[in-house]
Amino acid sequence: MNNQIYKVTLIHNGQKKEMTCPQGTNLMELLQENKIYLEAPCGGKGLCGKCKIRVESGNLSELTSDEDRLLSNKEKAEGYRLACSTWIMGDAVVSLDDSSDTAQIVSRGLEYSVDINPSVSKEFLTIESPSVEDQRDDLKRLEDALNMRYTFIPLGLMQRLPSLLRDNDYKVTAVYDRNNILAIESGNTANEQYGIAVDIGTTTVVCYLVDLVNGKQLDVASRLNAQKSYGGDVISRIAYAADKAEGLKRLQMEITSQLEEMIKGLASKNKIELEHIYNIVIAANTTMIHLFAGLPPEHIAAAPFTPVATRLMVYPAEQFGVNINSACRIFVLPSISGYVGADIVAGILSTGMDKSDDLSLMIDIGTNGEMVLGNKEGLISCSTAAGPAFEGANIRNGVGGVAGAINTVRLEDDDIRYTTISGMPPIGICGSGIVDVLAVLLDAGIIDETGRILPADEIESEIGKKLKERLTEVDDMPAFIIAKGEETRSGEPIVMTQKDVREIQLAKAAIAAGTRVIVQKMGKSMGEIKRLYLAGGFGSYIDKRNAVRIGLLPKELEHQIIAVGNAAGTGALLSLLSRKLIQRSNIIKTMVKYVELSTSPEFQEEYVNCMYFD
Amino acid sequence: MNNQIYKVTLIHNGQKKEMTCPQGTNLMELLQENKIYLEAPCGGKGLCGKCKIRVESGNLSELTSDEDRLLSNKEKAEGYRLACSTWIMGDAVVSLDDSSDTAQIVSRGLEYSVDINPSVSKEFLTIESPSVEDQRDDLKRLEDALNMRYTFIPLGLMQRLPSLLRDNDYKVTAVYDRNNILAIESGNTANEQYGIAVDIGTTTVVCYLVDLVNGKQLDVASRLNAQKSYGGDVISRIAYAADKAEGLKRLQMEITSQLEEMIKGLASKNKIELEHIYNIVIAANTTMIHLFAGLPPEHIAAAPFTPVATRLMVYPAEQFGVNINSACRIFVLPSISGYVGADIVAGILSTGMDKSDDLSLMIDIGTNGEMVLGNKEGLISCSTAAGPAFEGANIRNGVGGVAGAINTVRLEDDDIRYTTISGMPPIGICGSGIVDVLAVLLDAGIIDETGRILPADEIESEIGKKLKERLTEVDDMPAFIIAKGEETRSGEPIVMTQKDVREIQLAKAAIAAGTRVIVQKMGKSMGEIKRLYLAGGFGSYIDKRNAVRIGLLPKELEHQIIAVGNAAGTGALLSLLSRKLIQRSNIIKTMVKYVELSTSPEFQEEYVNCMYFD
């Protein structure tokens, strides 16, 4: 390594970005430093092959054996590399596919209505000016105009109070929450009042910009979680936070600065002053909350799975490192346990199942699977380490819900038909496509009830026989070709391998077994459940029949399934609009009983049973 | 001016301090930058002649006409200069008299007893460690051990909670105020709990170090207010804050860093960890509070005399710029108005006059004069711009209560006898000496009832005739020699001039008239007053008979006078020991009615009457 500094140019979304670095810099780290985040479920270890980037020109390190294995010949020929396995050896130009750092998000679902009463108020005041007969101090004048006593006011604001009053001829707008004065603004700004609802997923971050006066959702932005390149699941992020020097600080900085940027982007796009954004409500899983708040997450990772805190947190945004304005506060919704987070609390809030007479089940399939069962009498929850198979991770050709992902698969005219997101040539298969293909292969008798991909000569069904030519071998394993090489971007076929089937079996068994356990623990039967709320983006795209077919969801509930989309985001949004719902989230926290599955014999038994396909 | 950097060495209290500066630097400013503060009631304008410093060697600017006028020939011969009027032209060595930056303070006075119940508690906890059956989060464990719900905990402390618990085997000491968790300490530190009571006077800052477990006052420190060199009285400080760029910030920084240094000095001297100082209670006049808290004070200076805030303030010490530890909070006691400050509220608290059936009068003679009259039925207060004459300011040979100050004067063997503080050769005359000499001159018939110093041929009394030789002329004014040139340090006589007598007449008339007005306003007579509490260092040293003789205090109350010393400091100390007394300070604030004298015709009339000596 020498001291030479090289220039790396990134082409992305039609724009060029110049970066500089010394010789020997890892390309993934260079991108991270420049706030460009590639998916890397393996945490940049050269195992998952997801962090693909194309080299247009320049001098880079030699192809590694990992890359040789994980990239197709066509990709190699086109100059694709894995960013984690590439080091800068001279000036270079690289390009990213346009879909790489945006994520689709689903916000449809339940209809809801809520009284608009956010945890912040604004009031335009005309304050009496002082006279020798009326020597009340400035703060007292303000309090009297607000008809308040025992207010709390930040010291910095009190310092600016005299000029704020006099420069505006004693006409100002007070921003406050109960008796807590947050800001004083010049003139009448009572109608300029905005908030941000946030769902920090392990994979995706979604921000909703909301007008707190009329309750309207003005805009939404979603991005892949900037922490993605430090590991795809919560366990690898926790390991990074715990094991690397400044690891927690770095992960916190990534998510807080990402949130700050997303909010600034929304404000700028919608021509809203940052000064007028007062409340940010966050729903997230417990680990994401720890990383966001800088709370050491390591004791969540291993038994007894102890979080630092699960309560509702309210602090000034700047204390988290999110710099919007000095009056802006962040409300982090409460969690239940280390693996049932505020995203689930927010989901419960959005469905209203905590207030219903009817028994409801909510299943949130994301990077993990969480289930909640109950009604207004009480709720019971559990979490399964189902893994991110349904997000495409640990699946050979799995991808997230990005452009070019195969998202539906069906049998038609005795052959496989598929669609892709945005209709692009296929680059891989996402969760809903994975469920479909598995159901198709079960229906066609190509996979048996144990999950084995049958050899061609064992296939008995008519339709199965017609699909025989799609059977192949990959890495000495049986595999089924979903998209042929000539159809795909890389030129290599998109397949489902025997190992992929096993991954999905493990994941669906965990979710199905967890569901059965909490139903038993509550002394109920599946038949008593009136509604199954399916949360998460995956739940919205999934084919319900196929999800039941593969045993992911209980067959008794096939016609009770309601896809509620990003229920966590919806819950955060409702909490942003109503202080009563923030209080309700605290009540929900106390209503939900958590069942630990990892030490439960019932779960172990059900898990084995659920591994089979009926 | 060139770019040459020069070295200036200061000899003070037997120590050498090296300072550097460019050519042309003002010596006073150089000293301020190096945190050495000389008294300068005129604000460094070359008017008061107080900022004397001796040049031992070196190259400095020429003597100015101000210095020529304000320094004696002996002082000039010995190398004395005024720091405000001297500029550095080369390397130099200067020296300060040892008394220059310390102040005497009086803490005697009332006996008091108080239940020890400070606004902070410590509790040693043995917290249950987690298990798979007990997955409560760390914070919840802490709350349960404290038997608390809905706690507030700073984000930074929550971030350190997991390691604090685990590194100490779940044995920690919680520091809290009600449900507000301030700190968590390793092991059992429940008996290490300290606080600081502070009286920030315009002239002097006093800090008391208190053990909050047993209520003992461990130590006391006092210094001249570091802002002194920016002006001697509140009006000149306000002018500096309002008119100079960053003036307020600078004055705030001076007092907050002085307080921080004093506290660190007390902790170090008494071998106390800074981490174990949790509460600081501050009493001060309204302007000093504004300057301490960075609140713009300018609207206090002119009618309608509007403060920014007069309430009880409680903020983390670091928000004021006082860095002790992150758990340390500062409580600033409430004020009444722009000129009746928290020092008076604390004084009322220390006398208990707000709870007494008896009618009491409190007079605090400091840089201004404030008076409070009343009992448990209600209180009335006023403030007079008496000026700092009784602190020696605006008096030709006036000095503060420093070593060498003439502090008592009496007639003995037909001549003047005086004592000085520490028995040093006289350098000037302080407040108690000024009162004495005026009383002596009145008794001797040298000053008539209008305040005129009589010409030698008009003096009729036996004793007066014997003192004739002490009459002289200074600046074309009659003057009386108190200490002869051969007795004084400067070699020049210490005198009281006709102008000095007028200054004192104005000051005593303001206080006497203010007292009469509030007695009238309350519909009372002097005879009904059971006690006269005389607050302030000056009040402790004053000869009561002489104070009545010159008309400063009402003659009806000569035998009811109780000198209570630094009542403001005592009130702060009591508030530090008891949260109930902090609450009481808020009640006192609402009990006290403020009377504005500046627009009162009654005051104007009484003021003229009180100018005479009876």
Side-chain angles (χ1 to χ4, degrees):
Chain A
M1 198 180 298
N2 63 22
N3 289 325
Q4 187 75 39
I5 297 291
Y6 293 115
K7 189 173 74 177
V8 179
T9 306
L10 173 74
I11 302 169
H12 182 40
N13 289 329
Q15 299 204 310
K16 282 190 182 181
K17 186 182 176 91
E18 305 276 352
M19 304 174 285
T20 55
C21 64
Q23 189 178 51
T25 300
N26 181 275
L27 179 54
M28 172 93 106
E29 287 173 10
L30 176 65
L31 292 169
Q32 286 172 357
E33 277 167 24
N34 286 275
K35 298 192 179 300
I36 295 152
Y37 304 103
L38 304 187
E39 258 195 287
C42 74
K45 299 191 183 78
L47 299 175
C48 68
K50 306 283 181 189
C51 59
K52 288 175 194 165
I53 187 163
R54 196 155 92 164
V55 177
E56 303 292 338
S57 65
N59 189 2
L60 294 135
S61 60
E62 308 256 303
L63 208 69
T64 65
S65 56
D66 288 337
E67 290 175 289
D68 195 45
R69 178 170 48 83
L70 291 162
L71 293 167
S72 72
N73 288 336
K74 188 177 167 211
E75 284 171 335
K76 282 182 254 182
E78 288 177 1
Y80 279 92
R81 298 288 304 265
L82 299 183
C84 72
S85 305
T86 305
W87 286 264
I88 305 300
M89 307 305 285
D91 292 345
V93 178
V94 297
S95 68
L96 272 180
D97 293 338
D98 288 353
S99 61
S100 297
D101 81 339
T102 55
Q104 288 203 334
I105 200 70
V106 182
S107 307
R108 69 165 187 248
L110 297 168
E111 294 286 316
Y112 54 84
S113 72
V114 58
D115 289 335
I116 298 168
N117 179 24
S119 298
V120 63
S121 305
K122 291 187 83 168
E123 190 175 336
F124 174 61
L125 304 169
T126 300
I127 293 173
E128 291 175 69
S129 57
S131 65
V132 172
E133 293 69 39
D134 172 8
Q135 295 190 16
R136 281 177 301 158
D137 57 75
D138 288 345
L139 182 56
K140 181 77 175 125
R141 276 166 210 288
L142 174 67
E143 289 176 335
D144 288 349
L146 281 166
N147 200 17
M148 265 184 213
R149 291 181 67 192
Y150 307 117
T151 58
F152 175 80
I153 183 168
L155 188 54
L157 181 54
M158 188 155 62
Q159 290 166 344
R160 292 186 295 113
L161 192 57
S163 55
L164 278 165
L165 295 186
R166 286 165 186 79
D167 294 351
N168 294 292
D169 200 21
Y170 295 90
K171 291 177 185 16
V172 294
T173 301
V175 185
Y176 58 94
D177 180 12
R178 296 177 186 271
N179 69 338
N180 190 3
I181 299 174
L182 299 164
I184 302 294
E185 296 170 359
S186 305
N188 188 348
T189 58
N191 284 324
E192 302 289 318
Q193 191 178 344
Y194 304 94
I196 306 280
V198 184
D199 169 34
I200 304 176
T202 309
T203 306
T204 308
V205 180
V206 192
C207 291
Y208 304 86
L209 171 65
V210 181
D211 184 325
L212 297 183
V213 174
N214 59 24
K216 280 191 184 152
Q217 180 186 317
L218 301 178
D219 202 352
V220 59
S222 69
R223 296 279 182 283
L224 288 179
N225 188 320
Q227 297 170 343
K228 270 226 96 174
S229 57
Y230 301 89
D233 54 44
V234 299
I235 297 299
S236 55
R237 304 258 178 99
I238 292 173
Y240 187 93
D243 301 342
K244 300 275 179 173
E246 305 281 291
L248 171 57
K249 206 167 159 185
R250 179 146 193 184
L251 290 181
Q252 184 186 22
M253 192 271 291
E254 292 290 8
I255 185 62
T256 55
S257 53
Q258 181 175 37
L259 185 59
E260 184 179 312
E261 276 172 36
M262 288 175 77
I263 294 172
K264 286 179 175 171
L266 282 170
S268 155
K269 189 175 151 206
N270 291 277
K271 298 190 172 38
I272 283 166
E273 299 286 336
L274 278 184
E275 283 63 34
H276 295 146
I277 296 176
Y278 305 106
N279 284 2
I280 298 172
V281 174
I282 292 181
N285 66 53
T286 312
T287 299
M288 290 306 111
I289 288 172
H290 277 58
L291 296 178
F292 178 80
L295 303 176
E298 64 229 57
H299 304 294
I300 299 175
F305 318 109
T306 315
V308 179
T310 52
R311 61 144 64 162
L312 172 70
M313 299 183 207
V314 187
Y315 295 99
E318 59 199 13
Q319 287 193 16
F320 291 96
V322 178
N323 295 300
I324 304 300
N325 66 62
S326 61
C328 183
R329 291 176 304 162
I330 290 181
F331 296 70
V332 179
L333 294 176
S335 301
I336 308 296
S337 72
Y339 290 98
V340 177
D343 48 353
I344 301 305
V345 172
I348 295 168
L349 200 63
S350 78
T351 63
M353 59 191 284
D354 58 304
K355 290 185 164 180
S356 173
D357 291 320
D358 294 341
L359 191 65
S360 306
L361 173 66
M362 181 171 74
I363 302 184
D364 186 340
I365 302 169
T367 313
N368 277 310
E370 295 102 16
M371 285 72 78
V372 185
L373 177 72
N375 58 18
K376 68 178 186 187
E377 307 294 331
L379 298 144
I380 185 166
S381 73
C382 68
S383 171
T384 62
F390 291 111
E391 294 193 321
N394 305 329
I395 301 295
R396 184 184 171 86
N397 290 122
V399 291
V402 297
I406 294 174
N407 60 342
T408 72
V409 178
R410 66 190 188 285
L411 276 176
E412 199 177 293
D413 303 332
D414 296 340
D415 199 2
I416 293 289
R417 294 282 182 274
Y418 60 82
T419 62
T420 66
I421 295 178
S422 309
M424 307 263 283
I427 59 165
I429 185 162
C430 69
S432 56
I434 289 169
V435 171
D436 285 357
V437 75
L438 204 59
V440 162
L441 297 183
L442 285 167
D443 286 346
I446 293 173
I447 292 180
D448 71 10
E449 76 281 6
T450 70
R452 191 169 60 111
I453 298 179
L454 298 180
D457 57 358
E458 288 185 31
I459 294 172
E460 290 172 359
S461 74
E462 278 307 301
I463 179 67
K465 285 175 181 164
K466 288 179 178 156
L467 295 175
K468 265 184 190 172
E469 67 189 32
R470 287 183 178 264
L471 286 171
T472 183
E473 282 216 341
V474 173
D475 296 344
D476 299 328
M477 276 186 293
F480 182 84
I481 297 170
I482 304 157
K484 294 173 185 164
E486 62 265 30
E487 300 161 4
T488 70
R489 194 192 62 181
S490 71
E492 296 284 316
I494 290 170
V495 301
M496 176 165 285
T497 69
Q498 182 64 64
K499 179 170 164 292
D500 292 342
V501 177
R502 297 299 179 207
E503 289 280 348
I504 294 158
Q505 270 184 288
L506 292 171
K508 74 104 185 177
I511 289 166
T515 305
R516 291 192 190 179
V517 168
I518 58 170
V519 172
Q520 287 162 24
K521 289 258 180 199
M522 205 173 238
K524 303 287 183 185
S525 67
M526 289 293 175
E528 293 176 79
I529 297 170
K530 294 288 187 293
R531 272 176 293 279
L532 194 178
Y533 296 110
L534 197 56
F538 165 71
S540 300
Y541 292 112
I542 207 173
D543 182 283
K544 293 167 191 173
R545 193 206 74 92
N546 289 345
V548 169
R549 176 67 187 92
I550 71 166
L552 174 64
L553 302 180
K555 60 177 177 296
E556 298 88 337
L557 302 180
E558 184 180 334
H559 302 293
Q560 277 75 50
I561 297 171
I562 303 168
V564 293
N566 183 9
T570 305
L573 203 148
L574 294 173
S575 304
L576 183 62
L577 289 174
S578 165
R579 66 165 76 243
K580 280 187 192 153
L581 290 179
I582 288 189
Q583 290 160 6
R584 185 74 198 167
S585 74
N586 265 334
I587 293 167
I588 291 171
K589 175 175 170 51
T590 65
M591 286 175 74
V592 181
K593 190 177 165 233
Y594 173 70
V595 176
E596 177 59 50
L597 296 183
S598 68
T599 54
S600 154
E602 299 94 327
F603 176 73
Q604 289 306 323
E605 196 182 316
E606 291 290 357
Y607 186 49
V608 174
N609 295 338
C610 289
M611 208 75 82
Y612 292 90
F613 298 107
D614 297 329
Chain B
M1 200 179 295
N2 63 22
N3 289 324
Q4 187 75 41
I5 298 290
Y6 293 114
K7 189 172 76 175
V8 179
T9 306
L10 173 73
I11 303 170
H12 182 41
N13 289 330
Q15 298 204 313
K16 281 188 184 183
K17 185 181 178 90
E18 306 276 352
M19 305 173 285
T20 55
C21 64
Q23 189 178 51
T25 300
N26 180 275
L27 179 54
M28 172 92 105
E29 288 173 9
L30 176 64
L31 292 168
Q32 286 171 356
E33 276 166 26
N34 286 275
K35 297 190 179 300
I36 295 151
Y37 303 102
L38 304 186
E39 258 195 285
C42 74
K45 298 195 184 75
L47 299 176
C48 69
K50 305 285 179 186
C51 60
K52 287 175 195 167
I53 187 162
R54 197 155 93 163
V55 178
E56 303 290 338
S57 65
N59 188 2
L60 295 136
S61 60
E62 308 257 303
L63 207 70
T64 65
S65 57
D66 288 335
E67 291 177 288
D68 194 46
R69 181 170 46 84
L70 291 162
L71 293 167
S72 73
N73 287 334
K74 188 177 168 210
E75 283 170 336
K76 283 181 254 183
E78 287 177 4
Y80 278 92
R81 297 290 301 266
L82 299 183
C84 72
S85 306
T86 304
W87 286 263
I88 305 300
M89 308 304 287
D91 291 345
V93 179
V94 297
S95 68
L96 270 181
D97 294 338
D98 289 354
S99 61
S100 298
D101 81 337
T102 55
Q104 288 203 336
I105 199 71
V106 182
S107 307
R108 69 165 186 248
L110 296 167
E111 294 288 315
Y112 55 84
S113 72
V114 58
D115 288 337
I116 299 168
N117 179 23
S119 299
V120 62
S121 305
K122 291 187 83 168
E123 190 173 337
F124 174 60
L125 304 169
T126 301
I127 293 172
E128 290 175 69
S129 57
S131 66
V132 173
E133 292 69 39
D134 173 9
Q135 295 190 16
R136 281 177 300 158
D137 57 74
D138 289 346
L139 182 57
K140 180 77 175 129
R141 279 166 206 287
L142 175 68
E143 289 176 335
D144 288 349
L146 282 166
N147 200 17
M148 264 184 215
R149 292 182 67 194
Y150 308 116
T151 58
F152 175 81
I153 183 167
L155 188 54
L157 180 54
M158 189 154 63
Q159 289 167 345
R160 291 187 295 115
L161 192 57
S163 55
L164 277 165
L165 295 186
R166 287 164 185 81
D167 294 351
N168 295 293
D169 201 21
Y170 294 88
K171 291 176 183 18
V172 294
T173 302
V175 185
Y176 59 92
D177 180 11
R178 297 177 185 270
N179 69 338
N180 188 4
I181 299 175
L182 299 164
I184 302 293
E185 296 171 359
S186 305
N188 188 348
T189 58
N191 284 324
E192 302 289 319
Q193 192 179 342
Y194 304 94
I196 305 279
V198 183
D199 169 34
I200 304 177
T202 309
T203 305
T204 309
V205 180
V206 191
C207 291
Y208 304 86
L209 171 65
V210 181
D211 184 325
L212 297 183
V213 175
N214 60 23
K216 278 190 185 156
Q217 180 186 318
L218 301 177
D219 203 352
V220 59
S222 69
R223 296 280 182 283
L224 289 180
N225 188 319
Q227 296 170 342
K228 270 226 95 172
S229 58
Y230 301 89
D233 54 47
V234 298
I235 296 300
S236 55
R237 305 258 178 97
I238 292 174
Y240 187 92
D243 300 341
K244 301 275 179 173
E246 304 281 288
L248 172 58
K249 206 168 160 186
R250 178 147 195 182
L251 290 181
Q252 184 187 21
M253 191 271 292
E254 293 289 9
I255 185 62
T256 56
S257 54
Q258 181 175 36
L259 184 60
E260 183 179 315
E261 276 174 36
M262 288 176 76
I263 294 172
K264 287 180 174 169
L266 282 169
S268 155
K269 187 174 152 206
N270 291 277
K271 298 188 173 37
I272 284 167
E273 299 287 334
L274 277 185
E275 283 63 35
H276 295 146
I277 295 176
Y278 305 104
N279 284 1
I280 299 172
V281 175
I282 292 182
N285 66 52
T286 311
T287 299
M288 289 306 111
I289 288 173
H290 277 59
L291 296 178
F292 178 79
L295 303 176
E298 63 229 56
H299 304 292
I300 300 176
F305 318 110
T306 316
V308 179
T310 53
R311 62 145 62 162
L312 173 69
M313 299 181 208
V314 186
Y315 296 98
E318 58 200 12
Q319 286 193 14
F320 291 97
V322 178
N323 295 300
I324 303 300
N325 66 62
S326 61
C328 183
R329 291 176 304 162
I330 290 181
F331 296 69
V332 179
L333 294 176
S335 301
I336 308 296
S337 71
Y339 289 98
V340 177
D343 48 353
I344 301 304
V345 172
I348 294 169
L349 200 64
S350 79
T351 63
M353 60 191 285
D354 58 304
K355 291 185 164 181
S356 173
D357 291 320
D358 294 340
L359 190 67
S360 304
L361 173 66
M362 182 170 75
I363 301 183
D364 187 340
I365 302 170
T367 312
N368 277 310
E370 295 101 15
M371 282 74 76
V372 184
L373 176 72
N375 57 20
K376 68 180 186 186
E377 307 294 332
L379 297 146
I380 185 168
S381 73
C382 68
S383 171
T384 61
F390 292 112
E391 293 191 322
N394 305 332
I395 301 295
R396 184 182 171 88
N397 290 122
V399 292
V402 296
I406 294 174
N407 60 342
T408 72
V409 178
R410 68 191 187 285
L411 274 177
E412 198 177 292
D413 301 333
D414 296 341
D415 201 1
I416 293 290
R417 294 282 181 275
Y418 60 81
T419 61
T420 65
I421 295 176
S422 309
M424 306 262 285
I427 59 163
I429 185 161
C430 69
S432 57
I434 289 168
V435 171
D436 285 356
V437 75
L438 203 60
V440 163
L441 296 183
L442 285 167
D443 287 345
I446 293 172
I447 293 179
D448 71 10
E449 75 280 3
T450 69
R452 188 169 63 111
I453 298 180
L454 298 180
D457 56 358
E458 288 186 29
I459 294 170
E460 291 173 359
S461 75
E462 276 309 298
I463 179 68
K465 285 174 181 166
K466 286 177 180 158
L467 296 174
K468 265 183 190 173
E469 67 189 33
R470 287 181 176 267
L471 287 173
T472 183
E473 282 215 343
V474 174
D475 295 343
D476 298 327
M477 278 187 290
F480 182 85
I481 296 170
I482 304 157
K484 293 171 185 164
E486 62 265 30
E487 301 161 4
T488 69
R489 194 193 63 181
S490 71
E492 297 284 317
I494 289 168
V495 301
M496 175 165 287
T497 68
Q498 182 64 65
K499 179 170 164 296
D500 293 342
V501 177
R502 296 300 179 207
E503 289 281 347
I504 294 158
Q505 270 182 291
L506 292 172
K508 74 104 185 178
I511 289 165
T515 305
R516 290 191 192 179
V517 167
I518 58 171
V519 172
Q520 287 162 23
K521 289 259 180 198
M522 202 171 241
K524 302 289 184 182
S525 66
M526 289 290 174
E528 292 177 78
I529 297 170
K530 293 288 189 293
R531 273 176 293 279
L532 193 178
Y533 296 111
L534 197 56
F538 164 72
S540 300
Y541 291 112
I542 206 174
D543 182 284
K544 294 168 190 172
R545 192 205 75 89
N546 289 347
V548 170
R549 177 66 187 89
I550 71 165
L552 174 63
L553 302 179
K555 63 176 175 297
E556 298 87 337
L557 303 178
E558 183 178 336
H559 303 292
Q560 276 75 49
I561 298 171
I562 303 167
V564 292
N566 183 8
T570 305
L573 201 147
L574 295 173
S575 304
L576 183 62
L577 289 173
S578 165
R579 68 164 76 244
K580 282 188 191 153
L581 290 179
I582 288 188
Q583 289 160 5
R584 185 75 199 167
S585 75
N586 266 333
I587 294 168
I588 290 171
K589 175 175 171 53
T590 65
M591 287 175 73
V592 181
K593 186 174 168 245
Y594 173 69
V595 176
E596 178 59 51
L597 296 184
S598 69
T599 53
S600 153
E602 298 94 328
F603 176 73
Q604 288 307 323
E605 195 182 316
E606 289 290 357
Y607 186 49
V608 174
N609 294 339
C610 290
M611 208 73 84
Y612 290 90
F613 298 108
D614 298 328

